[in-house]
Amino acid sequence: MRNRKIPMRKCVACQEMKTKKELVRIVRSPENEVIIDSTGKKSGRGAYLCKTVSCSQLAMKNNSLDRALKHQVDREIYEQLELNFTKIEEHDGKK
């Protein structure tokens, strides 16, 4: 029996390769709307971030999401990502 290939993606902030399940996809839709893609299957140009507050802050500082999506990302998206990641880290007991 063959092993299934696990899709790997790179975090735009820390540049680490991880499995798709470990990352969050942010999408610029064909209508130029930037949204957080929780399904990972929405159409448009995508970029991946680690599910950590430090990566979202680094992405905001370096404008790496803007470059990856070739579009200006609103501050609200970064704030929403940071809030979601804070909840995840608190739930996992990392904080």
Side-chain angles (χ1 to χ4, degrees), residues 55-86:
C55 276
S56 67
Q57 290 173 342
L58 185 63
M60 185 166 64
K61 178 183 170 189
N62 296 336
N63 295 324
S64 50
L65 270 180
D66 295 23
R67 269 184 270 119
L69 298 175
K70 298 181 180 177
H71 188 272
Q72 178 81 30
V73 177
D74 290 337
R75 192 164 183 86
E76 295 171 5
I77 296 291
Y78 287 109
E79 291 170 357
Q80 189 175 358
L81 284 169
E82 197 168 322
L83 183 67
N84 291 347
F85 296 156
T86 302

Side-chain angles (χ1 to χ4, degrees), residues 3-58:
N3 290 337
R4 296 188 76 181
K5 187 175 180 179
I6 299 171
M8 303 290 283
R9 299 291 183 266
K10 186 192 282 188
C11 173
V12 294
C14 68
Q15 306 292 314
E16 285 186 36
M17 295 292 289
K18 295 187 177 184
T19 62
K20 283 177 74 174
K21 291 181 179 180
E22 294 178 87
L23 302 169
V24 171
R25 185 171 186 244
I26 293 89
V27 177
R28 177 180 51 100
S29 69
E31 296 82 26
N32 283 334
E33 181 184 12
V34 178
I35 52 176
I36 300 169
D37 183 10
S38 57
T39 63
K41 296 183 178 182
K42 292 188 177 174
S43 65
R45 185 175 184 87
Y48 291 86
L49 264 182
C50 294
K51 295 178 182 176
T52 62
V53 174
S54 60
C55 276
S56 67
Q57 290 173 342
L58 185 63

